Structures are given as structure tokens and as C-alpha cells.
Amino acid sequence: GREGGCGGASVVMERQVVTSGGKWVARAGGGAERCGEAGRELRAAGAQYAVVGVIGCQSGGKSTLLNELFGTRFPVLDTKVHGRRQTTQGIWLAYAEAAGRDRAQHPLVVLDVEGTDSRERGEGARTFESCSTLFVLTICDVIFLNIWFHDLGRYQASNFELLQLVFAEARALRRSKPTSSAGSAATANAFDKSRGERANLVIVVRDVENDVDLAEIRTAVTTDIAHVWRRSQSPSDASTGALEDHFDLHLVVLPHKIYCEHEFEQSVRKVRDAMFFGGEKASGISTLPPNPIVQTRDCCKIVPLDAFERIASMLWTAVADQIKGCDGTQDECS
């Protein structure tokens, strides 16, 4: 195990839990209990913890975002050495703690999900993306969608194609939980009931120019999201509710990490504080609400933290079986 990180965060181990081939990687002993002293602290949280994850295109800085926000050390792309290529494969996990408004440590499970639209994934991308998206939707309290500022207004480049998949899976999840078996259905319900009716979907717009107004970006993103929501609807979705029934939407804008490094670090620190202290800490760069969106004391799970990986593996299997049953595939998500 390892302790450290930034912003008062204590982080323990980053490891791959789902391979690029869609196989769950079991760990002897289960998870947090194998993380030494910090693991014992995390286990003491019992069922009071939050799950956060990130989705978005390949090489978009998703792992960097998680590392900056939560003090994790997920592998990141070094373009000078490797050029533009896939770095995160499958799904990676870390356990972390972050100090909140009450100065207490809030236990977190942090999920780093393989980027979409990768050359390496090829034609099998759609199946894995569907599996990982449904998995994240079912298990996460907070979902970050990472997009580039210069891609706003472009459907595929801006990741709104992925957002349409997110919305479609959310509708499907509301219609029926993964039901490959009674046990799998119970597993999905355990996570979903502990999260509540809505997940927090945080749209993170990267490399925003200094003279751009947050309200202008909010208008553009809100318009695009409403359009994507309509596109994701099918005739059977009449009873699945409105967008607001599925998600609490938030917007965060960040400057360029390389060319505006100091401003980027300051903005990330404000966003991190806003997540645990409330949105007034990040006025001007986010629409995060006044109250913290990561409040583990109000996020009591049915599944205790030391059983998280074991139950999550069952959920992954249920999700994979459901997706394969829908599209007829046998690989990439099993």
C-alpha cells in the first residue's frame, strides 16, 4: 500500500481491476484490507464512502484530472516518449481519503476508465464502451465527463457521442437493472439504492481560454446536452423520466495544464475544495452547488468498503452479460 497524495488526500494503491479484454482481475484478500495502515483506516469507514469515476476520449487527460483532484497516481500519457497512444487500458481503481468541510477524512473509491475512440481498441470499442459506461453509471456517485474546449459544438469530437451512450444506458438502467441472474440483479440494486435516484454528472471542459465567460460555455454545453438527451430517446423511453430525474448536472472549466500550469493547479484545487466543501469555493470556474457533492456521511452504502471489489466484480459480470445479450457479441466485455 501507499499513502500520500495532495490536498489532504491519503491514497492507497492504484491497480487494474478490468483488463482491456474485459476480464475482472481478482485480488487475493479482496481489496482495501490488503492496503496496510491506510487500508485499515479505509475499512473503518464501513459503508460510508463515495465512488467517483471518469469517462472521456483517449489521451484527454482523464488520469491526470483524477491524480490532481484526489492525489492518485494513475499512469499518465508522456507524449514526448510515446506520442499519442492509449495509456489506461480497461478500468483501474484506487482507494483514497480526502478531507471535507468537517475536517473528517472521507473515504473514496476512484475509478479510471479506458478512453473512448482509441486506435488500439478498433472495431470492438462499442461493446467495451457500453459495458464500462453502464458499470460506471450503476456504481458511481460522481461521474466526470472530460471534454476539450475547442471541441465544443462538434458532436463526435466533443464526446457528446459518448454522452448519448451514457444517457441511453441511464434510460435502460431505469427501465430494468442488469438481470443476468437473481444475484446479479440484487448486486446492481445494492449499489443503485445506496447511491439514490440521481448521479452527479460533472462536465469538465479542458483548455479553456482565459477570456471565455463561464456563462457562455454553460449555455453552449446545456444546449448540446439537451439535444443529446433528445437523441438518446427511443419510443420505449416515455416512462424513464426527464434528464433531471437521472442526473444532477454540473460544469467545470479548466485552463491549459501546460501553458497555464499555475492557473490550472489553482483551478483544480478550487474544484477539489468545492466537491468536499461546497461550490462557493470555485465560483467563476464551476457551477458546483453550495453544498458538497461528495458527502460520504450522507452516502451510506449497502455494500461495505471492504467488500466493494468482490461485489463490483459481480456487477461487472452482470453488466457484461446484459450488453452481450443485447448486441450478440462474445468478446471484449466478459
Side-chain angles (χ1 to χ4, degrees):
R2 172 183 61 79
E3 297 180 60
C6 60
S10 174
V11 183
V12 204
M13 77 170 207
E14 299 83 4
R15 76 177 193 90
Q16 189 181 47
V17 291
V18 176
T19 69
S20 60
K23 304 292 185 182
W24 186 271
V25 182
R27 179 187 178 99
E33 64 267 32
R34 296 295 300 274
C35 299
E37 180 62 32
R40 284 189 286 275
E41 294 176 5
L42 289 170
R43 286 201 313 283
Q48 290 185 319
Y49 62 95
V51 186
V52 301
V54 64
I55 56 177
C57 67
Q58 175 189 301
S59 304
K62 300 183 304 302
S63 301
T64 298
L65 178 65
L66 294 179
N67 292 346
E68 294 286 345
L69 282 173
F70 304 114
T72 51
R73 294 182 185 173
F74 291 114
V76 298
L77 177 67
D78 188 337
T79 56
K80 294 180 180 179
V81 176
H82 301 294
R84 291 280 175 182
R85 71 172 195 179
Q86 188 181 60
T87 303
T88 302
Q89 296 184 335
I91 300 176
W92 286 63
L93 172 149
Y95 296 100
E97 288 186 316
R101 170 181 287 175
D102 52 8
R103 297 187 179 274
Q105 292 296 309
H106 294 264
L108 303 172
V109 177
V110 185
L111 299 176
D112 190 8
V113 180
E114 176 182 315
T116 60
D117 197 27
S118 69
R119 178 178 64 250
E120 292 85 352
R121 177 64 64 179
E123 294 181 359
R126 181 70 180 188
T127 301
F128 187 86
E129 289 169 11
S130 296
C131 288
S132 58
T133 299
L134 183 52
F135 179 74
V136 165
L137 278 169
T138 306
I139 211 168
C140 286
D141 303 289
V142 182
I143 304 166
F144 294 95
L145 175 64
N146 193 68
I147 64 178
W148 295 107
F149 171 67
H150 61 256
D151 286 333
L152 288 178
R154 295 190 284 180
Y155 179 68
Q156 290 182 325
S158 66
N159 262 331
F160 285 139
E161 185 175 34
L162 175 62
L163 190 59
Q164 182 170 335
L165 176 61
V166 170
F167 289 163
E169 298 295 358
R171 292 179 188 275
L173 191 63
R174 182 62 62 90
R175 288 195 301 268
S176 62
K177 304 293 185 285
T179 55
S180 60
S181 68
S184 298
T187 300
N189 287 334
F191 279 114
D192 194 54
K193 287 179 181 177
S194 63
R195 186 192 66 193
E197 288 297 313
R198 298 190 301 273
N200 288 282
L201 179 60
V202 183
I203 311 295
V204 182
V205 183
R206 305 288 291 272
D207 292 5
V208 175
E209 299 170 4
N210 293 333
D211 58 348
V212 177
D213 183 49
L214 176 64
E216 178 183 338
I217 299 177
R218 178 170 53 193
T219 299
V221 170
T222 302
T223 300
D224 286 342
I225 287 177
H227 175 66
V228 173
W229 177 257
R230 290 192 297 270
R231 288 188 60 162
S232 71
Q233 187 169 13
S234 68
S236 61
D237 287 328
S239 62
T240 58
L243 175 62
E244 295 76 16
D245 297 324
H246 296 264
F247 300 100
D248 287 325
L249 291 172
H250 315 286
L251 175 67
V252 168
V253 298
L254 296 176
H256 201 288
K257 184 179 186 300
I258 297 177
Y259 301 125
C260 305
E261 183 175 3
H262 179 65
E263 291 82 356
F264 176 85
E265 291 176 353
Q266 283 187 322
S267 296
V268 168
R269 189 177 302 113
K270 288 181 179 180
V271 171
R272 181 172 59 242
D273 288 346
M275 292 185 65
F276 296 99
F277 290 85
E280 70 277 2
K281 296 281 185 177
S283 59
I285 65 167
S286 85
T287 61
L288 292 171
N291 297 320
I293 66 171
V294 178
Q295 189 65 275
T296 54
R297 289 190 175 184
D298 298 328
C299 192
C300 190
K301 306 288 186 184
I302 296 175
V303 178
L305 185 58
D306 58 2
F308 176 85
E309 290 187 35
R310 177 163 47 86
I311 305 301
S313 69
M314 296 169 60
L315 177 62
W316 175 258
T317 299
V319 166
D321 288 348
Q322 176 164 309
I323 296 296
K324 287 189 297 180
C326 291
D327 63 16
T329 59
Q330 298 298 321
D331 301 317
E332 299 290 341
C333 199
S334 59

